Amino acid sequence: MTLATIAFRNLMRRKAKAGFLLLGLVIGVATATAVFSMVEAMTMDINHKLEKYGANILVLPRAESLGLSYGGLSLGGVPFDVEEIREQDLARIHAIPNAANVAAVGPVTLGVVPVAGRRLLLAGVDFTAAGILKPWWRLDGDFPGADGVIIGAEAARTLALDTGDSLMVGGRQLRVSGILSPTGSQDDELLFTRLGTAQQLLNKPGKVSMVEVAALCTACPVEEMVRQIAEVLPNARVRAIQQVVKGRMETLAQFGKLFYGISAVVLMIGALVVLVTMMGNVRERTEEIGIFRAVGFRSSHVLRIVLMEAAAVSAMAGALGYAAGIGVTHFAVRLLSGGQAVAVSIRPEMAGAAIALAVMLGLCASLYPAVTAARLDPNKALRTL
């Protein structure tokens, strides 16, 4: 009869204690697995959404500003020496070292135009790039041609226009090809037309007012891309729109630290459960251990039997805990995301880490009871019979 057989049969005889030991470790491992998987899934989900969110780099014309004040009252700044961005220079953005991370480049030409006795803001855009830069747009109609325009919801309501109507914009008749659904942003009050059409109406041939750049930011260095774009466009100001991104990631990091701390506490409780259960198990088996020693078992043999029992239960707890943790993660992530599907990765290396963690905890918590059992005096143990 081998030591492994003795350990296995002992677990079968004491199923209740083995089950209690198993439950304590399963809860700890499941909690740790759920926390790590949840933080990873939420981080990946945020990164994936940020890739689709739109522009995260903004290119603006460089301009000097003169601050004015009178009598101690600040009158604000007056921009001067504005250096306009040329449309032909934008091709340089696709030649930067991180050009593969550029999802879209959207030039915008802005200007005020008279429409039906009002002065409205006209934006000339590249509608192909707009599909990537503004994924939240919902259009009732079609994108315009060279003599077309789409109107924001608020502007359409103010002008009492609908799809198919015509209007005079800067002395040129344009057809309303579509109306944007309300976005809750300044887009609701704008007129949008093709870039070339806007440049003609605003008398800005080949000039753009700003450039929106969408960078795939999951793995790309946005700040480095800002530096590279600034080098190829020296007459422009390049900024990264990262405030919201950093805020959400910092919040997630803080929650992650809190949950990691909770996981550590739960794992410690699981280890204490193992310690108490194994100590009680050793006390109950004093006579059995005395017989083992009397028939020739060494202290090392007794030590190995107790640790084998702990390792077997711990390995099973690691596997069950990982499965339970992934299940909890699926439920919790769906709940936190408002019912939206969020991918939760099932990784073999994490499963292996969960089993290794459970075995390590089980062995460490069982080491003292195992040493206590190995040091039992067989004479004293046999006197209790």
Side-chain angles (χ1 to χ4, degrees):
M1 182 179 294
T2 64
L3 298 179
T5 304
I6 295 174
F8 177 75
R9 289 185 177 180
N10 182 64
L11 290 175
M12 292 296 100
R13 285 198 308 269
R14 295 175 172 81
K15 294 179 181 178
K17 287 188 177 294
F20 186 70
L21 185 67
L22 181 71
L23 180 62
L25 283 175
V26 165
I27 293 175
V29 174
T31 302
T33 300
V35 167
F36 278 95
S37 299
M38 191 181 307
V39 172
E40 181 184 48
M42 295 301 291
T43 302
M44 291 177 61
D45 182 56
I46 290 176
N47 287 333
H48 181 66
K49 288 179 179 177
L50 289 175
E51 288 183 359
K52 296 184 176 180
Y53 189 77
N56 45 21
I57 297 177
L58 200 61
V59 182
L60 300 170
R62 185 179 298 278
E64 300 295 336
S65 180
L66 176 64
L68 299 179
S69 62
Y70 181 79
L73 178 65
S74 176
L75 303 178
V78 177
F80 66 94
D81 194 17
V82 178
E83 299 186 28
E84 296 179 313
I85 302 173
R86 296 183 300 175
E87 184 180 355
Q88 63 185 21
D89 294 337
L90 302 184
R92 301 175 186 173
I93 297 177
H94 296 287
I96 64 174
N98 284 93
N101 297 116
V102 176
V105 176
V108 181
T109 298
L110 296 169
V112 178
V113 292
V115 180
R118 302 173 182 270
R119 294 177 64 81
L120 297 178
L121 189 61
L122 176 68
V125 300
D126 181 345
F127 288 103
T128 302
I132 300 174
L133 293 163
K134 301 180 183 295
W136 56 86
W137 271 12
R138 297 293 179 267
L139 182 63
D140 181 14
D142 301 315
F143 286 119
D147 293 317
V149 65
I150 60 176
I151 308 179
E154 183 61 25
R157 185 191 64 81
T158 303
L159 298 174
L161 293 172
D162 202 350
T163 303
D165 294 343
S166 297
L167 73 162
M168 294 295 295
V169 178
R172 181 173 174 177
Q173 188 171 5
L174 301 179
R175 175 180 171 276
V176 179
S177 64
I179 297 177
L180 285 177
S181 299
T183 63
S185 67
Q186 70 274 12
D187 292 353
D188 294 342
E189 302 176 0
L190 267 63
L191 307 180
F192 296 91
T193 186
R194 289 188 174 274
L195 185 63
T197 303
Q199 290 171 342
Q200 292 176 7
L201 290 171
L202 300 172
N203 195 26
K204 296 181 179 180
K207 304 294 177 61
V208 295
S209 305
M210 58 181 288
V211 183
E212 297 173 316
V213 180
L216 303 177
C217 59
T218 297
C220 71
V222 176
E223 292 292 348
E224 177 63 18
M225 293 182 66
V226 168
R227 187 190 64 81
Q228 294 172 8
I229 295 175
E231 287 181 354
V232 298
L233 297 176
N235 296 327
R237 293 177 295 157
V238 187
R239 297 177 179 176
I241 308 173
Q242 293 183 305
Q243 290 84 355
V244 176
V245 177
K246 289 182 177 179
R248 293 188 68 177
M249 296 303 289
E250 287 175 1
T251 301
L252 184 62
Q254 293 298 325
F255 275 109
K257 292 178 181 178
L258 173 63
F259 289 142
Y260 292 151
I262 294 174
S263 299
V265 171
V266 174
L267 286 172
M268 290 299 297
I269 293 174
L272 288 175
V273 169
V274 174
L275 175 62
V276 173
T277 304
M278 294 301 291
M279 278 303 298
N281 195 8
V282 167
R283 290 194 182 97
E284 287 183 2
R285 298 166 60 190
T286 301
E287 298 88 350
E288 178 184 336
I289 294 171
I291 294 173
F292 285 158
R293 294 298 309 279
V295 298
F297 279 69
R298 297 177 182 176
S299 297
S300 60
H301 294 155
V302 176
L303 182 71
R304 289 165 60 186
I305 289 172
V306 176
L307 293 180
M308 281 181 183
E309 295 174 8
V313 175
S314 300
M316 186 179 300
L320 294 176
Y322 176 77
I326 291 296
V328 170
T329 303
H330 275 283
F331 175 78
V333 168
R334 183 175 290 273
L335 185 66
L336 293 174
S337 62
Q340 298 180 358
V342 177
V344 178
S345 59
I346 300 177
R347 298 188 300 171
E349 61 271 21
M350 185 176 288
I355 295 174
L357 175 64
V359 172
M360 183 182 67
L361 281 177
L363 291 178
C364 290
S366 302
L367 187 59
Y368 177 72
V371 171
T372 301
R375 290 179 177 177
L376 278 176
D377 186 347
N379 295 324
K380 291 181 179 180
L382 291 174
R383 288 195 193 105
T384 61
L385 291 174

mmCIF file with all atom_site columns, all heavy atoms in Angstrom, residues 297-312:
data_model
loop_
_atom_site.group_PDB
_atom_site.id
_atom_site.type_symbol
_atom_site.label_atom_id
_atom_site.label_alt_id
_atom_site.label_comp_id
_atom_site.label_asym_id
_atom_site.label_entity_id
_atom_site.label_seq_id
_atom_site.pdbx_PDB_ins_code
_atom_site.Cartn_x
_atom_site.Cartn_y
_atom_site.Cartn_z
_atom_site.occupancy
_atom_site.B_iso_or_equiv
_atom_site.pdbx_formal_charge
_atom_site.auth_seq_id
_atom_site.auth_comp_id
_atom_site.auth_asym_id
_atom_site.auth_atom_id
_atom_site.pdbx_PDB_model_num
ATOM 1   N N   . PHE A 1 297 ? 6.544  3.270  10.041 1.00 0.00 ? 297 PHE A N   1
ATOM 2   C CA  . PHE A 1 297 ? 6.481  4.507  9.245  1.00 0.00 ? 297 PHE A CA  1
ATOM 3   C C   . PHE A 1 297 ? 7.385  5.561  9.873  1.00 0.00 ? 297 PHE A C   1
ATOM 4   O O   . PHE A 1 297 ? 7.400  5.742  11.088 1.00 0.00 ? 297 PHE A O   1
ATOM 5   C CB  . PHE A 1 297 ? 5.040  5.035  9.181  1.00 0.00 ? 297 PHE A CB  1
ATOM 6   C CG  . PHE A 1 297 ? 4.180  4.352  8.167  1.00 0.00 ? 297 PHE A CG  1
ATOM 7   C CD1 . PHE A 1 297 ? 3.785  3.031  8.332  1.00 0.00 ? 297 PHE A CD1 1
ATOM 8   C CD2 . PHE A 1 297 ? 3.769  5.034  7.029  1.00 0.00 ? 297 PHE A CD2 1
ATOM 9   C CE1 . PHE A 1 297 ? 2.995  2.404  7.388  1.00 0.00 ? 297 PHE A CE1 1
ATOM 10  C CE2 . PHE A 1 297 ? 2.972  4.410  6.084  1.00 0.00 ? 297 PHE A CE2 1
ATOM 11  C CZ  . PHE A 1 297 ? 2.589  3.088  6.257  1.00 0.00 ? 297 PHE A CZ  1
ATOM 12  N N   . ARG A 1 298 ? 8.103  6.250  9.040  1.00 0.00 ? 298 ARG A N   1
ATOM 13  C CA  . ARG A 1 298 ? 8.966  7.316  9.523  1.00 0.00 ? 298 ARG A CA  1
ATOM 14  C C   . ARG A 1 298 ? 8.175  8.614  9.657  1.00 0.00 ? 298 ARG A C   1
ATOM 15  O O   . ARG A 1 298 ? 7.067  8.747  9.140  1.00 0.00 ? 298 ARG A O   1
ATOM 16  C CB  . ARG A 1 298 ? 10.141 7.516  8.568  1.00 0.00 ? 298 ARG A CB  1
ATOM 17  C CG  . ARG A 1 298 ? 11.056 6.316  8.449  1.00 0.00 ? 298 ARG A CG  1
ATOM 18  C CD  . ARG A 1 298 ? 12.150 6.600  7.427  1.00 0.00 ? 298 ARG A CD  1
ATOM 19  N NE  . ARG A 1 298 ? 13.024 5.445  7.256  1.00 0.00 ? 298 ARG A NE  1
ATOM 20  C CZ  . ARG A 1 298 ? 14.013 5.384  6.382  1.00 0.00 ? 298 ARG A CZ  1
ATOM 21  N NH1 . ARG A 1 298 ? 14.240 6.427  5.574  1.00 0.00 ? 298 ARG A NH1 1
ATOM 22  N NH2 . ARG A 1 298 ? 14.774 4.302  6.295  1.00 0.00 ? 298 ARG A NH2 1
ATOM 23  N N   . SER A 1 299 ? 8.811  9.592  10.309 1.00 0.00 ? 299 SER A N   1
ATOM 24  C CA  . SER A 1 299 ? 8.171  10.906 10.444 1.00 0.00 ? 299 SER A CA  1
ATOM 25  C C   . SER A 1 299 ? 7.933  11.534 9.073  1.00 0.00 ? 299 SER A C   1
ATOM 26  O O   . SER A 1 299 ? 6.899  12.175 8.829  1.00 0.00 ? 299 SER A O   1
ATOM 27  C CB  . SER A 1 299 ? 9.049  11.833 11.292 1.00 0.00 ? 299 SER A CB  1
ATOM 28  O OG  . SER A 1 299 ? 9.199  11.333 12.598 1.00 0.00 ? 299 SER A OG  1
ATOM 29  N N   . SER A 1 300 ? 8.884  11.318 8.170  1.00 0.00 ? 300 SER A N   1
ATOM 30  C CA  . SER A 1 300 ? 8.729  11.882 6.819  1.00 0.00 ? 300 SER A CA  1
ATOM 31  C C   . SER A 1 300 ? 7.547  11.271 6.094  1.00 0.00 ? 300 SER A C   1
ATOM 32  O O   . SER A 1 300 ? 6.879  11.944 5.300  1.00 0.00 ? 300 SER A O   1
ATOM 33  C CB  . SER A 1 300 ? 10.010 11.669 6.013  1.00 0.00 ? 300 SER A CB  1
ATOM 34  O OG  . SER A 1 300 ? 10.312 10.281 5.890  1.00 0.00 ? 300 SER A OG  1
ATOM 35  N N   . HIS A 1 301 ? 7.261  9.977  6.367  1.00 0.00 ? 301 HIS A N   1
ATOM 36  C CA  . HIS A 1 301 ? 6.114  9.324  5.732  1.00 0.00 ? 301 HIS A CA  1
ATOM 37  C C   . HIS A 1 301 ? 4.811  9.960  6.212  1.00 0.00 ? 301 HIS A C   1
ATOM 38  O O   . HIS A 1 301 ? 3.893  10.211 5.412  1.00 0.00 ? 301 HIS A O   1
ATOM 39  C CB  . HIS A 1 301 ? 6.113  7.822  6.043  1.00 0.00 ? 301 HIS A CB  1
ATOM 40  C CG  . HIS A 1 301 ? 7.266  7.104  5.425  1.00 0.00 ? 301 HIS A CG  1
ATOM 41  N ND1 . HIS A 1 301 ? 7.771  5.919  5.922  1.00 0.00 ? 301 HIS A ND1 1
ATOM 42  C CD2 . HIS A 1 301 ? 8.043  7.411  4.353  1.00 0.00 ? 301 HIS A CD2 1
ATOM 43  C CE1 . HIS A 1 301 ? 8.781  5.516  5.180  1.00 0.00 ? 301 HIS A CE1 1
ATOM 44  N NE2 . HIS A 1 301 ? 8.970  6.413  4.217  1.00 0.00 ? 301 HIS A NE2 1
ATOM 45  N N   . VAL A 1 302 ? 4.690  10.187 7.524  1.00 0.00 ? 302 VAL A N   1
ATOM 46  C CA  . VAL A 1 302 ? 3.486  10.817 8.071  1.00 0.00 ? 302 VAL A CA  1
ATOM 47  C C   . VAL A 1 302 ? 3.328  12.226 7.503  1.00 0.00 ? 302 VAL A C   1
ATOM 48  O O   . VAL A 1 302 ? 2.224  12.653 7.137  1.00 0.00 ? 302 VAL A O   1
ATOM 49  C CB  . VAL A 1 302 ? 3.563  10.857 9.611  1.00 0.00 ? 302 VAL A CB  1
ATOM 50  C CG1 . VAL A 1 302 ? 2.351  11.599 10.186 1.00 0.00 ? 302 VAL A CG1 1
ATOM 51  C CG2 . VAL A 1 302 ? 3.646  9.448  10.183 1.00 0.00 ? 302 VAL A CG2 1
ATOM 52  N N   . LEU A 1 303 ? 4.438  12.949 7.432  1.00 0.00 ? 303 LEU A N   1
ATOM 53  C CA  . LEU A 1 303 ? 4.405  14.303 6.868  1.00 0.00 ? 303 LEU A CA  1
ATOM 54  C C   . LEU A 1 303 ? 3.902  14.282 5.434  1.00 0.00 ? 303 LEU A C   1
ATOM 55  O O   . LEU A 1 303 ? 3.045  15.085 5.040  1.00 0.00 ? 303 LEU A O   1
ATOM 56  C CB  . LEU A 1 303 ? 5.812  14.904 6.927  1.00 0.00 ? 303 LEU A CB  1
ATOM 57  C CG  . LEU A 1 303 ? 5.968  16.341 6.429  1.00 0.00 ? 303 LEU A CG  1
ATOM 58  C CD1 . LEU A 1 303 ? 5.321  17.315 7.399  1.00 0.00 ? 303 LEU A CD1 1
ATOM 59  C CD2 . LEU A 1 303 ? 7.445  16.699 6.249  1.00 0.00 ? 303 LEU A CD2 1
ATOM 60  N N   . ARG A 1 304 ? 4.386  13.380 4.626  1.00 0.00 ? 304 ARG A N   1
ATOM 61  C CA  . ARG A 1 304 ? 3.983  13.288 3.225  1.00 0.00 ? 304 ARG A CA  1
ATOM 62  C C   . ARG A 1 304 ? 2.516  12.894 3.079  1.00 0.00 ? 304 ARG A C   1
ATOM 63  O O   . ARG A 1 304 ? 1.819  13.384 2.187  1.00 0.00 ? 304 ARG A O   1
ATOM 64  C CB  . ARG A 1 304 ? 4.884  12.301 2.481  1.00 0.00 ? 304 ARG A CB  1
ATOM 65  C CG  . ARG A 1 304 ? 6.302  12.830 2.268  1.00 0.00 ? 304 ARG A CG  1
ATOM 66  C CD  . ARG A 1 304 ? 7.269  11.733 1.856  1.00 0.00 ? 304 ARG A CD  1
ATOM 67  N NE  . ARG A 1 304 ? 6.853  11.099 0.604  1.00 0.00 ? 304 ARG A NE  1
ATOM 68  C CZ  . ARG A 1 304 ? 7.453  10.028 0.083  1.00 0.00 ? 304 ARG A CZ  1
ATOM 69  N NH1 . ARG A 1 304 ? 8.490  9.472  0.740  1.00 0.00 ? 304 ARG A NH1 1
ATOM 70  N NH2 . ARG A 1 304 ? 7.048  9.527  -1.054 1.00 0.00 ? 304 ARG A NH2 1
ATOM 71  N N   . ILE A 1 305 ? 2.020  12.009 3.965  1.00 0.00 ? 305 ILE A N   1
ATOM 72  C CA  . ILE A 1 305 ? 0.608  11.613 3.887  1.00 0.00 ? 305 ILE A CA  1
ATOM 73  C C   . ILE A 1 305 ? -0.301 12.820 4.102  1.00 0.00 ? 305 ILE A C   1
ATOM 74  O O   . ILE A 1 305 ? -1.253 13.056 3.339  1.00 0.00 ? 305 ILE A O   1
ATOM 75  C CB  . ILE A 1 305 ? 0.307  10.507 4.923  1.00 0.00 ? 305 ILE A CB  1
ATOM 76  C CG1 . ILE A 1 305 ? 0.966  9.199  4.511  1.00 0.00 ? 305 ILE A CG1 1
ATOM 77  C CG2 . ILE A 1 305 ? -1.210 10.315 5.062  1.00 0.00 ? 305 ILE A CG2 1
ATOM 78  C CD1 . ILE A 1 305 ? 0.878  8.108  5.567  1.00 0.00 ? 305 ILE A CD1 1
ATOM 79  N N   . VAL A 1 306 ? -0.020 13.587 5.151  1.00 0.00 ? 306 VAL A N   1
ATOM 80  C CA  . VAL A 1 306 ? -0.863 14.752 5.445  1.00 0.00 ? 306 VAL A CA  1
ATOM 81  C C   . VAL A 1 306 ? -0.790 15.776 4.318  1.00 0.00 ? 306 VAL A C   1
ATOM 82  O O   . VAL A 1 306 ? -1.812 16.337 3.887  1.00 0.00 ? 306 VAL A O   1
ATOM 83  C CB  . VAL A 1 306 ? -0.430 15.380 6.781  1.00 0.00 ? 306 VAL A CB  1
ATOM 84  C CG1 . VAL A 1 306 ? -1.246 16.652 7.057  1.00 0.00 ? 306 VAL A CG1 1
ATOM 85  C CG2 . VAL A 1 306 ? -0.605 14.397 7.927  1.00 0.00 ? 306 VAL A CG2 1
ATOM 86  N N   . LEU A 1 307 ? 0.418  16.026 3.791  1.00 0.00 ? 307 LEU A N   1
ATOM 87  C CA  . LEU A 1 307 ? 0.555  17.005 2.712  1.00 0.00 ? 307 LEU A CA  1
ATOM 88  C C   . LEU A 1 307 ? -0.075 16.513 1.408  1.00 0.00 ? 307 LEU A C   1
ATOM 89  O O   . LEU A 1 307 ? -0.589 17.319 0.620  1.00 0.00 ? 307 LEU A O   1
ATOM 90  C CB  . LEU A 1 307 ? 2.032  17.333 2.492  1.00 0.00 ? 307 LEU A CB  1
ATOM 91  C CG  . LEU A 1 307 ? 2.726  18.083 3.637  1.00 0.00 ? 307 LEU A CG  1
ATOM 92  C CD1 . LEU A 1 307 ? 4.183  18.352 3.293  1.00 0.00 ? 307 LEU A CD1 1
ATOM 93  C CD2 . LEU A 1 307 ? 2.004  19.397 3.939  1.00 0.00 ? 307 LEU A CD2 1
ATOM 94  N N   . MET A 1 308 ? -0.024 15.198 1.158  1.00 0.00 ? 308 MET A N   1
ATOM 95  C CA  . MET A 1 308 ? -0.693 14.649 -0.030 1.00 0.00 ? 308 MET A CA  1
ATOM 96  C C   . MET A 1 308 ? -2.194 14.877 0.041  1.00 0.00 ? 308 MET A C   1
ATOM 97  O O   . MET A 1 308 ? -2.843 15.218 -0.963 1.00 0.00 ? 308 MET A O   1
ATOM 98  C CB  . MET A 1 308 ? -0.394 13.153 -0.158 1.00 0.00 ? 308 MET A CB  1
ATOM 99  C CG  . MET A 1 308 ? 0.959  12.815 -0.726 1.00 0.00 ? 308 MET A CG  1
ATOM 100 S SD  . MET A 1 308 ? 1.182  11.031 -0.864 1.00 0.00 ? 308 MET A SD  1
ATOM 101 C CE  . MET A 1 308 ? 2.863  10.960 -1.462 1.00 0.00 ? 308 MET A CE  1
ATOM 102 N N   . GLU A 1 309 ? -2.765 14.671 1.227  1.00 0.00 ? 309 GLU A N   1
ATOM 103 C CA  . GLU A 1 309 ? -4.204 14.915 1.391  1.00 0.00 ? 309 GLU A CA  1
ATOM 104 C C   . GLU A 1 309 ? -4.530 16.377 1.104  1.00 0.00 ? 309 GLU A C   1
ATOM 105 O O   . GLU A 1 309 ? -5.494 16.689 0.374  1.00 0.00 ? 309 GLU A O   1
ATOM 106 C CB  . GLU A 1 309 ? -4.627 14.550 2.812  1.00 0.00 ? 309 GLU A CB  1
ATOM 107 C CG  . GLU A 1 309 ? -4.502 13.076 3.149  1.00 0.00 ? 309 GLU A CG  1
ATOM 108 C CD  . GLU A 1 309 ? -4.784 12.801 4.614  1.00 0.00 ? 309 GLU A CD  1
ATOM 109 O OE1 . GLU A 1 309 ? -5.213 13.745 5.313  1.00 0.00 ? 309 GLU A OE1 1
ATOM 110 O OE2 . GLU A 1 309 ? -4.584 11.651 5.047  1.00 0.00 ? 309 GLU A OE2 1
ATOM 111 N N   . ALA A 1 310 ? -3.729 17.274 1.660  1.00 0.00 ? 310 ALA A N   1
ATOM 112 C CA  . ALA A 1 310 ? -3.963 18.705 1.438  1.00 0.00 ? 310 ALA A CA  1
ATOM 113 C C   . ALA A 1 310 ? -3.786 19.084 -0.028 1.00 0.00 ? 310 ALA A C   1
ATOM 114 O O   . ALA A 1 310 ? -4.573 19.850 -0.586 1.00 0.00 ? 310 ALA A O   1
ATOM 115 C CB  . ALA A 1 310 ? -3.017 19.519 2.316  1.00 0.00 ? 310 ALA A CB  1
ATOM 116 N N   . ALA A 1 311 ? -2.764 18.518 -0.674 1.00 0.00 ? 311 ALA A N   1
ATOM 117 C CA  . ALA A 1 311 ? -2.503 18.848 -2.074 1.00 0.00 ? 311 ALA A CA  1
ATOM 118 C C   . ALA A 1 311 ? -3.635 18.361 -2.977 1.00 0.00 ? 311 ALA A C   1
ATOM 119 O O   . ALA A 1 311 ? -4.044 19.058 -3.913 1.00 0.00 ? 311 ALA A O   1
ATOM 120 C CB  . ALA A 1 311 ? -1.177 18.240 -2.516 1.00 0.00 ? 311 ALA A CB  1
ATOM 121 N N   . ALA A 1 312 ? -4.154 17.143 -2.711 1.00 0.00 ? 312 ALA A N   1
ATOM 122 C CA  . ALA A 1 312 ? -5.234 16.597 -3.538 1.00 0.00 ? 312 ALA A CA  1
ATOM 123 C C   . ALA A 1 312 ? -6.494 17.451 -3.439 1.00 0.00 ? 312 ALA A C   1
ATOM 124 O O   . ALA A 1 312 ? -7.112 17.812 -4.454 1.00 0.00 ? 312 ALA A O   1
ATOM 125 C CB  . ALA A 1 312 ? -5.526 15.159 -3.115 1.00 0.00 ? 312 ALA A CB  1
#
